[in-house]
Amino acid sequence: IILLNSHVPGQVGGHLDELELRWLEQCLSNTAIPHSLIFLHHHPVSVGNKWLEPIGLDNADPLFNRIVYIE
């Protein structure tokens, strides 16, 4: 289980800074366990709800670039 901090003080939307993304990479590369659960407060994909869009993660691409597994 990996917990990420996407909180940005004073804002409702989330962001993963470079330090948090590097920590995620380190967690994923230093385990022999083939599966991981990654949690963060702000949703990284559009949920199709106009009210929820502003509170999502503003930089989902760097997150997905680190978690996509290609064999």
Short mmCIF file of all heavy atoms in Angstrom, two decimals:
data_model
loop_
_atom_site.label_atom_id
_atom_site.label_comp_id
_atom_site.label_asym_id
_atom_site.label_seq_id
_atom_site.Cartn_x
_atom_site.Cartn_y
_atom_site.Cartn_z
N ILE A 1 0.86 -1.17 0.00
CA ILE A 1 0.00 0.00 0.00
C ILE A 1 0.90 1.23 0.00
O ILE A 1 1.78 1.35 0.85
CB ILE A 1 -0.93 0.00 1.22
CG1 ILE A 1 -1.88 -1.19 1.15
CG2 ILE A 1 -1.71 1.32 1.30
CD1 ILE A 1 -2.76 -1.36 2.36
N ILE A 2 0.66 2.11 -0.96
CA ILE A 2 1.44 3.34 -1.08
C ILE A 2 0.49 4.52 -0.95
O ILE A 2 -0.49 4.61 -1.69
CB ILE A 2 2.19 3.39 -2.43
CG1 ILE A 2 3.11 2.18 -2.57
CG2 ILE A 2 2.96 4.70 -2.57
CD1 ILE A 2 3.69 2.01 -3.96
N LEU A 3 0.77 5.40 -0.01
CA LEU A 3 -0.06 6.58 0.21
C LEU A 3 0.69 7.80 -0.32
O LEU A 3 1.83 8.04 0.06
CB LEU A 3 -0.34 6.76 1.71
CG LEU A 3 -0.97 5.56 2.41
CD1 LEU A 3 -1.06 5.82 3.91
CD2 LEU A 3 -2.33 5.26 1.84
N LEU A 4 0.03 8.55 -1.20
CA LEU A 4 0.64 9.74 -1.78
C LEU A 4 -0.05 11.00 -1.26
O LEU A 4 -1.26 11.02 -1.09
CB LEU A 4 0.54 9.70 -3.30
CG LEU A 4 1.22 8.53 -3.99
CD1 LEU A 4 0.97 8.58 -5.50
CD2 LEU A 4 2.71 8.55 -3.71
N ASN A 5 0.72 12.03 -1.05
CA ASN A 5 0.19 13.30 -0.58
C ASN A 5 -0.03 14.22 -1.77
O ASN A 5 0.93 14.73 -2.35
CB ASN A 5 1.15 13.94 0.42
CG ASN A 5 0.61 15.24 0.98
OD1 ASN A 5 -0.50 15.65 0.68
ND2 ASN A 5 1.41 15.88 1.81
N SER A 6 -1.29 14.44 -2.14
CA SER A 6 -1.62 15.31 -3.26
C SER A 6 -2.16 16.66 -2.78
O SER A 6 -2.64 17.46 -3.59
CB SER A 6 -2.64 14.62 -4.18
OG SER A 6 -3.82 14.29 -3.47
N HIS A 7 -2.07 16.93 -1.50
CA HIS A 7 -2.59 18.16 -0.92
C HIS A 7 -1.75 19.36 -1.34
O HIS A 7 -0.53 19.31 -1.34
CB HIS A 7 -2.60 18.06 0.60
CG HIS A 7 -2.98 19.32 1.30
ND1 HIS A 7 -4.25 19.83 1.26
CD2 HIS A 7 -2.25 20.18 2.04
CE1 HIS A 7 -4.29 20.95 1.95
NE2 HIS A 7 -3.09 21.18 2.43
N VAL A 8 -2.42 20.44 -1.70
CA VAL A 8 -1.77 21.72 -2.00
C VAL A 8 -2.38 22.75 -1.05
O VAL A 8 -3.59 23.01 -1.13
CB VAL A 8 -2.00 22.15 -3.46
CG1 VAL A 8 -1.34 23.49 -3.73
CG2 VAL A 8 -1.50 21.09 -4.43
N PRO A 9 -1.59 23.29 -0.14
CA PRO A 9 -2.14 24.26 0.83
C PRO A 9 -2.86 25.41 0.13
O PRO A 9 -2.36 25.98 -0.83
CB PRO A 9 -0.90 24.76 1.57
CG PRO A 9 0.10 23.65 1.43
CD PRO A 9 -0.17 23.06 0.07
N GLY A 10 -4.07 25.70 0.60
CA GLY A 10 -4.84 26.81 0.08
C GLY A 10 -5.59 26.53 -1.22
O GLY A 10 -6.21 27.42 -1.78
N GLN A 11 -5.51 25.29 -1.73
CA GLN A 11 -6.19 24.95 -2.97
C GLN A 11 -7.08 23.73 -2.77
O GLN A 11 -6.82 22.89 -1.92
CB GLN A 11 -5.18 24.66 -4.08
CG GLN A 11 -4.35 25.86 -4.48
CD GLN A 11 -3.47 25.54 -5.67
OE1 GLN A 11 -3.69 24.58 -6.40
NE2 GLN A 11 -2.47 26.38 -5.88
N VAL A 12 -8.13 23.62 -3.57
CA VAL A 12 -9.00 22.45 -3.48
C VAL A 12 -8.52 21.33 -4.39
O VAL A 12 -8.75 20.16 -4.11
CB VAL A 12 -10.47 22.79 -3.80
CG1 VAL A 12 -11.04 23.72 -2.76
CG2 VAL A 12 -10.63 23.37 -5.18
N GLY A 13 -7.86 21.67 -5.47
CA GLY A 13 -7.33 20.66 -6.38
C GLY A 13 -6.03 20.08 -5.85
O GLY A 13 -5.39 20.64 -4.96
N GLY A 14 -5.64 18.96 -6.42
CA GLY A 14 -4.44 18.28 -5.96
C GLY A 14 -3.30 18.33 -6.96
O GLY A 14 -3.50 18.59 -8.14
N HIS A 15 -2.10 18.05 -6.46
CA HIS A 15 -0.89 18.03 -7.29
C HIS A 15 0.12 17.10 -6.63
O HIS A 15 0.24 17.09 -5.41
CB HIS A 15 -0.30 19.44 -7.40
CG HIS A 15 0.90 19.52 -8.26
ND1 HIS A 15 0.82 19.68 -9.63
CD2 HIS A 15 2.21 19.43 -7.96
CE1 HIS A 15 2.04 19.71 -10.13
NE2 HIS A 15 2.90 19.56 -9.14
N LEU A 16 0.82 16.32 -7.42
CA LEU A 16 1.91 15.49 -6.90
C LEU A 16 3.22 16.15 -7.31
O LEU A 16 3.52 16.27 -8.50
CB LEU A 16 1.83 14.07 -7.48
CG LEU A 16 0.64 13.25 -7.03
CD1 LEU A 16 0.55 11.95 -7.81
CD2 LEU A 16 0.71 12.97 -5.54
N ASP A 17 3.99 16.60 -6.31
CA ASP A 17 5.25 17.25 -6.65
C ASP A 17 6.30 16.20 -7.01
O ASP A 17 6.10 14.99 -6.85
CB ASP A 17 5.72 18.17 -5.52
CG ASP A 17 6.04 17.44 -4.22
OD1 ASP A 17 6.37 16.25 -4.24
OD2 ASP A 17 5.96 18.10 -3.16
N GLU A 18 7.41 16.66 -7.53
CA GLU A 18 8.46 15.76 -8.03
C GLU A 18 9.00 14.85 -6.94
O GLU A 18 9.28 13.68 -7.18
CB GLU A 18 9.59 16.56 -8.67
CG GLU A 18 10.60 15.72 -9.40
CD GLU A 18 10.01 14.88 -10.53
OE1 GLU A 18 9.06 15.32 -11.20
OE2 GLU A 18 10.51 13.74 -10.76
N LEU A 19 9.13 15.35 -5.73
CA LEU A 19 9.61 14.53 -4.61
C LEU A 19 8.66 13.36 -4.34
O LEU A 19 9.09 12.22 -4.14
CB LEU A 19 9.78 15.40 -3.36
CG LEU A 19 10.37 14.71 -2.14
CD1 LEU A 19 11.78 14.22 -2.43
CD2 LEU A 19 10.38 15.67 -0.97
N GLU A 20 7.37 13.65 -4.36
CA GLU A 20 6.37 12.60 -4.13
C GLU A 20 6.39 11.56 -5.26
O GLU A 20 6.30 10.36 -5.02
CB GLU A 20 4.98 13.25 -4.02
CG GLU A 20 3.95 12.40 -3.36
CD GLU A 20 4.11 12.30 -1.85
OE1 GLU A 20 4.97 12.96 -1.25
OE2 GLU A 20 3.35 11.53 -1.25
N LEU A 21 6.55 12.01 -6.49
CA LEU A 21 6.61 11.10 -7.64
C LEU A 21 7.87 10.24 -7.60
O LEU A 21 7.83 9.05 -7.91
CB LEU A 21 6.53 11.89 -8.94
CG LEU A 21 5.16 12.53 -9.20
CD1 LEU A 21 5.27 13.56 -10.32
CD2 LEU A 21 4.11 11.49 -9.52
N ARG A 22 9.00 10.84 -7.20
CA ARG A 22 10.23 10.04 -7.07
C ARG A 22 10.10 9.01 -5.95
O ARG A 22 10.60 7.89 -6.07
CB ARG A 22 11.43 10.95 -6.81
CG ARG A 22 11.96 11.55 -8.10
CD ARG A 22 13.26 12.26 -7.90
NE ARG A 22 12.91 13.66 -7.62
CZ ARG A 22 13.54 14.45 -6.78
NH1 ARG A 22 14.58 14.04 -6.12
NH2 ARG A 22 13.14 15.68 -6.58
N TRP A 23 9.43 9.38 -4.86
CA TRP A 23 9.21 8.44 -3.76
C TRP A 23 8.36 7.26 -4.24
O TRP A 23 8.63 6.12 -3.90
CB TRP A 23 8.55 9.16 -2.58
CG TRP A 23 8.35 8.29 -1.39
CD1 TRP A 23 9.30 7.90 -0.49
CD2 TRP A 23 7.13 7.66 -0.99
NE1 TRP A 23 8.72 7.07 0.44
CE2 TRP A 23 7.41 6.91 0.16
CE3 TRP A 23 5.84 7.67 -1.51
CZ2 TRP A 23 6.43 6.17 0.82
CZ3 TRP A 23 4.87 6.93 -0.85
CH2 TRP A 23 5.17 6.20 0.30
N LEU A 24 7.33 7.56 -5.04
CA LEU A 24 6.51 6.50 -5.62
C LEU A 24 7.36 5.55 -6.47
O LEU A 24 7.26 4.33 -6.33
CB LEU A 24 5.38 7.10 -6.47
CG LEU A 24 4.57 6.12 -7.32
CD1 LEU A 24 3.84 5.11 -6.44
CD2 LEU A 24 3.61 6.87 -8.22
N GLU A 25 8.19 6.11 -7.33
CA GLU A 25 9.08 5.27 -8.16
C GLU A 25 9.95 4.38 -7.29
O GLU A 25 10.13 3.20 -7.58
CB GLU A 25 9.99 6.15 -9.01
CG GLU A 25 9.39 6.60 -10.29
CD GLU A 25 10.41 7.34 -11.13
OE1 GLU A 25 11.38 6.71 -11.60
OE2 GLU A 25 10.22 8.55 -11.32
N GLN A 26 10.49 4.95 -6.25
CA GLN A 26 11.37 4.18 -5.35
C GLN A 26 10.59 3.05 -4.68
O GLN A 26 11.07 1.92 -4.60
CB GLN A 26 11.97 5.11 -4.30
CG GLN A 26 12.98 4.44 -3.41
CD GLN A 26 13.57 5.41 -2.41
OE1 GLN A 26 12.94 6.43 -2.06
NE2 GLN A 26 14.75 5.11 -1.93
N CYS A 27 9.38 3.33 -4.21
CA CYS A 27 8.57 2.30 -3.58
C CYS A 27 8.27 1.16 -4.56
O CYS A 27 8.35 -0.02 -4.20
CB CYS A 27 7.25 2.88 -3.08
SG CYS A 27 7.40 3.95 -1.65
N LEU A 28 7.92 1.51 -5.78
CA LEU A 28 7.56 0.49 -6.77
C LEU A 28 8.77 -0.31 -7.23
O LEU A 28 8.65 -1.50 -7.53
CB LEU A 28 6.88 1.15 -7.97
CG LEU A 28 5.51 1.78 -7.69
CD1 LEU A 28 5.02 2.54 -8.92
CD2 LEU A 28 4.50 0.73 -7.26
N SER A 29 9.94 0.30 -7.29
CA SER A 29 11.11 -0.42 -7.79
C SER A 29 11.82 -1.22 -6.71
O SER A 29 12.61 -2.10 -7.01
CB SER A 29 12.09 0.56 -8.43
OG SER A 29 12.59 1.47 -7.48
N ASN A 30 11.53 -0.94 -5.43
CA ASN A 30 12.22 -1.63 -4.34
C ASN A 30 11.38 -2.70 -3.68
O ASN A 30 11.56 -3.00 -2.51
CB ASN A 30 12.68 -0.62 -3.29
CG ASN A 30 13.80 0.25 -3.78
OD1 ASN A 30 14.56 -0.15 -4.65
ND2 ASN A 30 13.90 1.44 -3.25
N THR A 31 10.46 -3.29 -4.42
CA THR A 31 9.63 -4.34 -3.84
C THR A 31 9.62 -5.56 -4.75
O THR A 31 9.71 -5.43 -5.97
CB THR A 31 8.19 -3.85 -3.59
OG1 THR A 31 7.46 -4.90 -2.96
CG2 THR A 31 7.50 -3.45 -4.88
N ALA A 32 9.55 -6.70 -4.13
CA ALA A 32 9.43 -7.94 -4.90
C ALA A 32 7.97 -8.34 -5.06
O ALA A 32 7.65 -9.30 -5.75
CB ALA A 32 10.20 -9.06 -4.19
N ILE A 33 7.08 -7.61 -4.43
CA ILE A 33 5.65 -7.89 -4.50
C ILE A 33 5.14 -7.42 -5.86
O ILE A 33 5.37 -6.28 -6.26
CB ILE A 33 4.91 -7.18 -3.35
CG1 ILE A 33 5.44 -7.68 -2.01
CG2 ILE A 33 3.41 -7.41 -3.46
CD1 ILE A 33 4.94 -6.88 -0.83
N PRO A 34 4.44 -8.26 -6.60
CA PRO A 34 4.03 -7.90 -7.96
C PRO A 34 2.87 -6.90 -8.06
O PRO A 34 2.60 -6.38 -9.14
CB PRO A 34 3.63 -9.24 -8.57
CG PRO A 34 3.21 -10.07 -7.40
CD PRO A 34 4.06 -9.63 -6.25
N HIS A 35 2.17 -6.63 -6.96
CA HIS A 35 1.02 -5.73 -7.01
C HIS A 35 1.13 -4.68 -5.91
O HIS A 35 1.62 -4.97 -4.83
CB HIS A 35 -0.29 -6.50 -6.86
CG HIS A 35 -0.45 -7.59 -7.86
ND1 HIS A 35 -0.75 -7.35 -9.17
CD2 HIS A 35 -0.31 -8.93 -7.74
CE1 HIS A 35 -0.80 -8.50 -9.83
NE2 HIS A 35 -0.54 -9.47 -8.98
N SER A 36 0.64 -3.49 -6.21
CA SER A 36 0.63 -2.40 -5.23
C SER A 36 -0.71 -1.69 -5.29
O SER A 36 -1.34 -1.61 -6.35
CB SER A 36 1.74 -1.39 -5.55
OG SER A 36 3.01 -1.98 -5.47
N LEU A 37 -1.12 -1.15 -4.16
CA LEU A 37 -2.29 -0.28 -4.09
C LEU A 37 -1.77 1.13 -3.86
O LEU A 37 -0.97 1.36 -2.95
CB LEU A 37 -3.20 -0.67 -2.93
CG LEU A 37 -3.96 -1.98 -3.05
CD1 LEU A 37 -4.70 -2.28 -1.76
CD2 LEU A 37 -4.93 -1.92 -4.20
N ILE A 38 -2.21 2.06 -4.69
CA ILE A 38 -1.76 3.43 -4.58
C ILE A 38 -2.97 4.30 -4.25
O ILE A 38 -3.98 4.26 -4.96
CB ILE A 38 -1.11 3.90 -5.89
CG1 ILE A 38 0.08 3.00 -6.23
CG2 ILE A 38 -0.68 5.36 -5.79
CD1 ILE A 38 0.63 3.20 -7.62
N PHE A 39 -2.86 5.05 -3.17
CA PHE A 39 -3.96 5.90 -2.71
C PHE A 39 -3.54 7.36 -2.72
O PHE A 39 -2.42 7.69 -2.33
CB PHE A 39 -4.36 5.53 -1.27
CG PHE A 39 -5.04 4.19 -1.15
CD1 PHE A 39 -4.30 3.05 -0.93
CD2 PHE A 39 -6.42 4.10 -1.26
CE1 PHE A 39 -4.91 1.82 -0.81
CE2 PHE A 39 -7.04 2.87 -1.15
CZ PHE A 39 -6.29 1.72 -0.92
N LEU A 40 -4.45 8.22 -3.15
CA LEU A 40 -4.29 9.66 -3.01
C LEU A 40 -5.68 10.27 -2.91
O LEU A 40 -6.66 9.66 -3.35
CB LEU A 40 -3.50 10.27 -4.16
CG LEU A 40 -4.03 10.13 -5.57
CD1 LEU A 40 -3.54 11.29 -6.42
CD2 LEU A 40 -3.52 8.82 -6.18
N HIS A 41 -5.78 11.43 -2.33
CA HIS A 41 -7.08 12.03 -2.08
C HIS A 41 -7.75 12.53 -3.35
O HIS A 41 -8.95 12.41 -3.52
CB HIS A 41 -6.95 13.17 -1.07
CG HIS A 41 -8.24 13.85 -0.77
ND1 HIS A 41 -9.20 13.29 0.05
CD2 HIS A 41 -8.75 15.03 -1.18
CE1 HIS A 41 -10.23 14.10 0.13
NE2 HIS A 41 -9.99 15.18 -0.60
N HIS A 42 -7.00 13.12 -4.25
CA HIS A 42 -7.56 13.77 -5.44
C HIS A 42 -7.61 12.79 -6.61
O HIS A 42 -6.62 12.12 -6.90
CB HIS A 42 -6.72 14.99 -5.80
CG HIS A 42 -6.72 16.02 -4.71
ND1 HIS A 42 -5.78 15.99 -3.70
CD2 HIS A 42 -7.54 17.05 -4.45
CE1 HIS A 42 -6.02 16.99 -2.87
NE2 HIS A 42 -7.10 17.65 -3.30
N HIS A 43 -8.75 12.72 -7.28
CA HIS A 43 -8.92 11.76 -8.37
C HIS A 43 -8.04 12.14 -9.57
O HIS A 43 -8.00 13.31 -9.97
CB HIS A 43 -10.39 11.62 -8.77
CG HIS A 43 -11.06 12.91 -9.11
ND1 HIS A 43 -11.58 13.74 -8.14
CD2 HIS A 43 -11.28 13.52 -10.29
CE1 HIS A 43 -12.11 14.80 -8.72
NE2 HIS A 43 -11.93 14.70 -10.03
N PRO A 44 -7.34 11.16 -10.15
CA PRO A 44 -6.43 11.45 -11.27
C PRO A 44 -7.09 11.37 -12.65
O PRO A 44 -6.44 11.68 -13.65
CB PRO A 44 -5.35 10.38 -11.12
CG PRO A 44 -6.05 9.24 -10.49
CD PRO A 44 -7.11 9.84 -9.59
N VAL A 45 -8.32 10.95 -12.72
CA VAL A 45 -9.03 10.87 -14.01
C VAL A 45 -10.33 11.64 -13.91
O VAL A 45 -10.90 11.79 -12.83
CB VAL A 45 -9.31 9.41 -14.43
CG1 VAL A 45 -8.04 8.65 -14.67
CG2 VAL A 45 -10.17 8.70 -13.41
N SER A 46 -10.80 12.10 -15.04
CA SER A 46 -12.07 12.80 -15.06
C SER A 46 -13.18 11.85 -14.63
O SER A 46 -13.23 10.70 -15.07
CB SER A 46 -12.36 13.32 -16.47
OG SER A 46 -13.65 13.90 -16.53
N VAL A 47 -14.05 12.35 -13.78
CA VAL A 47 -15.17 11.53 -13.31
C VAL A 47 -16.48 11.93 -13.97
O VAL A 47 -17.54 11.42 -13.62
CB VAL A 47 -15.30 11.57 -11.77
CG1 VAL A 47 -14.09 10.92 -11.11
CG2 VAL A 47 -15.48 12.99 -11.27
N GLY A 48 -16.38 12.86 -14.93
CA GLY A 48 -17.56 13.26 -15.67
C GLY A 48 -18.56 14.07 -14.87
O GLY A 48 -19.75 14.08 -15.18
N ASN A 49 -18.08 14.76 -13.85
CA ASN A 49 -18.96 15.55 -13.01
C ASN A 49 -18.40 16.97 -12.93
O ASN A 49 -17.29 17.18 -12.45
CB ASN A 49 -19.03 14.93 -11.61
CG ASN A 49 -19.96 15.66 -10.69
OD1 ASN A 49 -19.79 16.84 -10.43
ND2 ASN A 49 -20.94 14.94 -10.17
N LYS A 50 -19.15 17.93 -13.41
CA LYS A 50 -18.69 19.32 -13.48
C LYS A 50 -18.27 19.85 -12.11
O LYS A 50 -17.33 20.62 -11.99
CB LYS A 50 -19.81 20.17 -14.08
CG LYS A 50 -19.43 21.57 -14.43
CD LYS A 50 -20.59 22.26 -15.12
CE LYS A 50 -20.26 23.69 -15.46
NZ LYS A 50 -21.36 24.36 -16.13
N TRP A 51 -18.97 19.45 -11.07
CA TRP A 51 -18.67 19.91 -9.72
C TRP A 51 -17.35 19.33 -9.19
O TRP A 51 -16.62 19.98 -8.47
CB TRP A 51 -19.83 19.53 -8.80
CG TRP A 51 -19.61 19.95 -7.38
CD1 TRP A 51 -19.77 21.20 -6.87
CD2 TRP A 51 -19.21 19.13 -6.29
NE1 TRP A 51 -19.49 21.21 -5.52
CE2 TRP A 51 -19.13 19.94 -5.14
CE3 TRP A 51 -18.88 17.77 -6.17
CZ2 TRP A 51 -18.76 19.44 -3.91
CZ3 TRP A 51 -18.51 17.29 -4.93
CH2 TRP A 51 -18.46 18.12 -3.81
N LEU A 52 -17.02 18.08 -9.57
CA LEU A 52 -15.83 17.43 -9.05
C LEU A 52 -14.55 17.73 -9.85
O LEU A 52 -13.46 17.53 -9.35
CB LEU A 52 -16.04 15.91 -9.01
CG LEU A 52 -17.00 15.42 -7.94
CD1 LEU A 52 -17.24 13.92 -8.08
CD2 LEU A 52 -16.48 15.73 -6.55
N GLU A 53 -14.68 18.18 -11.09
CA GLU A 53 -13.49 18.41 -11.92
C GLU A 53 -12.45 19.32 -11.27
O GLU A 53 -11.26 19.01 -11.31
CB GLU A 53 -13.89 18.93 -13.30
CG GLU A 53 -14.59 17.89 -14.16
CD GLU A 53 -13.85 16.57 -14.29
OE1 GLU A 53 -12.64 16.58 -14.60
OE2 GLU A 53 -14.48 15.52 -14.08
N PRO A 54 -12.84 20.44 -10.66
CA PRO A 54 -11.83 21.33 -10.09
C PRO A 54 -11.06 20.74 -8.90
O PRO A 54 -10.03 21.28 -8.52
CB PRO A 54 -12.63 22.56 -9.63
CG PRO A 54 -13.94 22.47 -10.33
CD PRO A 54 -14.17 21.02 -10.61
N ILE A 55 -11.56 19.67 -8.31
CA ILE A 55 -10.87 19.13 -7.14
C ILE A 55 -10.04 17.90 -7.47
O ILE A 55 -9.56 17.21 -6.59
CB ILE A 55 -11.85 18.83 -5.98
CG1 ILE A 55 -12.83 17.73 -6.34
CG2 ILE A 55 -12.57 20.08 -5.55
CD1 ILE A 55 -13.68 17.26 -5.17
N GLY A 56 -9.84 17.65 -8.75
CA GLY A 56 -9.03 16.51 -9.17
C GLY A 56 -7.54 16.82 -9.13
O GLY A 56 -7.10 17.92 -8.78
N LEU A 57 -6.77 15.84 -9.51
CA LEU A 57 -5.31 15.97 -9.60
C LEU A 57 -4.97 16.71 -10.88
O LEU A 57 -5.45 16.37 -11.96
CB LEU A 57 -4.69 14.57 -9.62
CG LEU A 57 -3.18 14.48 -9.49
CD1 LEU A 57 -2.73 14.91 -8.10
CD2 LEU A 57 -2.72 13.05 -9.77
N ASP A 58 -4.12 17.72 -10.79
CA ASP A 58 -3.81 18.52 -11.97
C ASP A 58 -2.65 17.99 -12.81
O ASP A 58 -2.35 18.50 -13.88
CB ASP A 58 -3.55 19.98 -11.60
CG ASP A 58 -2.26 20.20 -10.84
OD1 ASP A 58 -1.53 19.24 -10.54
OD2 ASP A 58 -1.97 21.38 -10.52
N ASN A 59 -1.97 16.96 -12.33
CA ASN A 59 -0.85 16.40 -13.10
C ASN A 59 -0.87 14.86 -13.06
O ASN A 59 0.04 14.21 -12.57
CB ASN A 59 0.49 16.94 -12.59
CG ASN A 59 0.82 16.54 -11.16
OD1 ASN A 59 -0.07 16.32 -10.34
ND2 ASN A 59 2.09 16.42 -10.87
N ALA A 60 -1.91 14.30 -13.64
CA ALA A 60 -2.07 12.84 -13.64
C ALA A 60 -1.07 12.14 -14.55
O ALA A 60 -0.68 11.01 -14.26
CB ALA A 60 -3.49 12.48 -14.04
N ASP A 61 -0.65 12.77 -15.64
CA ASP A 61 0.26 12.10 -16.58
C ASP A 61 1.55 11.60 -15.92
O ASP A 61 1.94 10.45 -16.14
CB ASP A 61 0.57 13.00 -17.77
CG ASP A 61 -0.61 13.11 -18.72
OD1 ASP A 61 -1.53 12.26 -18.64
OD2 ASP A 61 -0.60 14.04 -19.55
N PRO A 62 2.24 12.42 -15.13
CA PRO A 62 3.45 11.90 -14.47
C PRO A 62 3.17 10.72 -13.55
O PRO A 62 4.00 9.82 -13.42
CB PRO A 62 3.99 13.09 -13.69
CG PRO A 62 3.40 14.28 -14.33
CD PRO A 62 2.07 13.84 -14.87
N LEU A 63 2.00 10.71 -12.93
CA LEU A 63 1.61 9.58 -12.08
C LEU A 63 1.45 8.33 -12.93
O LEU A 63 2.04 7.29 -12.65
CB LEU A 63 0.31 9.90 -11.34
CG LEU A 63 -0.35 8.73 -10.60
CD1 LEU A 63 0.51 8.25 -9.45
CD2 LEU A 63 -1.74 9.13 -10.12
N PHE A 64 0.65 8.43 -13.99
CA PHE A 64 0.40 7.27 -14.84
C PHE A 64 1.66 6.79 -15.54
O PHE A 64 1.83 5.59 -15.76
CB PHE A 64 -0.70 7.57 -15.85
CG PHE A 64 -2.05 7.71 -15.21
CD1 PHE A 64 -2.86 8.79 -15.52
CD2 PHE A 64 -2.52 6.79 -14.30
CE1 PHE A 64 -4.11 8.94 -14.93
CE2 PHE A 64 -3.76 6.92 -13.70
CZ PHE A 64 -4.56 8.00 -14.03
N ASN A 65 2.56 7.69 -15.88
CA ASN A 65 3.82 7.30 -16.51
C ASN A 65 4.66 6.44 -15.58
O ASN A 65 5.48 5.64 -16.04
CB ASN A 65 4.62 8.52 -16.94
CG ASN A 65 4.00 9.23 -18.12
OD1 ASN A 65 3.21 8.66 -18.86
ND2 ASN A 65 4.35 10.50 -18.27
N ARG A 66 4.49 6.59 -14.31
CA ARG A 66 5.27 5.81 -13.34
C ARG A 66 4.60 4.50 -12.94
O ARG A 66 5.25 3.60 -12.45
CB ARG A 66 5.54 6.66 -12.11
CG ARG A 66 6.61 7.71 -12.38
CD ARG A 66 6.62 8.76 -11.30
NE ARG A 66 7.75 9.65 -11.43
CZ ARG A 66 7.76 10.73 -12.22
NH1 ARG A 66 6.72 11.03 -12.96
NH2 ARG A 66 8.83 11.51 -12.27
N ILE A 67 3.29 4.39 -13.12
CA ILE A 67 2.62 3.17 -12.64
C ILE A 67 2.25 2.20 -13.75
O ILE A 67 1.88 1.08 -13.47
CB ILE A 67 1.38 3.50 -11.78
CG1 ILE A 67 0.31 4.22 -12.60
CG2 ILE A 67 1.76 4.29 -10.56
CD1 ILE A 67 -0.98 4.44 -11.85
N VAL A 68 2.35 2.62 -14.98
CA VAL A 68 2.02 1.70 -16.08
C VAL A 68 3.11 0.65 -16.19
O VAL A 68 4.30 0.97 -16.27
CB VAL A 68 1.86 2.47 -17.41
CG1 VAL A 68 1.71 1.52 -18.56
CG2 VAL A 68 0.68 3.40 -17.33
N TYR A 69 2.70 -0.59 -16.17
CA TYR A 69 3.65 -1.71 -16.25
C TYR A 69 3.65 -2.29 -17.65
O TYR A 69 2.60 -2.67 -18.16
CB TYR A 69 3.29 -2.80 -15.24
CG TYR A 69 4.20 -3.99 -15.31
CD1 TYR A 69 5.46 -3.95 -14.76
CD2 TYR A 69 3.78 -5.16 -15.95
CE1 TYR A 69 6.30 -5.05 -14.82
CE2 TYR A 69 4.62 -6.25 -16.03
CZ TYR A 69 5.87 -6.19 -15.46
OH TYR A 69 6.71 -7.27 -15.53
N ILE A 70 4.81 -2.30 -18.26
CA ILE A 70 4.93 -2.89 -19.59
C ILE A 70 5.98 -3.98 -19.51
O ILE A 70 7.11 -3.74 -19.10
CB ILE A 70 5.35 -1.82 -20.63
CG1 ILE A 70 4.31 -0.71 -20.68
CG2 ILE A 70 5.55 -2.46 -21.99
CD1 ILE A 70 4.72 0.47 -21.52
N GLU A 71 5.61 -5.16 -19.88
CA GLU A 71 6.54 -6.29 -19.82
C GLU A 71 7.14 -6.54 -21.16
O GLU A 71 6.56 -6.41 -22.20
CB GLU A 71 5.82 -7.54 -19.33
CG GLU A 71 6.78 -8.65 -19.03
CD GLU A 71 6.09 -9.80 -18.32
OE1 GLU A 71 5.18 -9.56 -17.53
OE2 GLU A 71 6.49 -10.94 -18.59
#
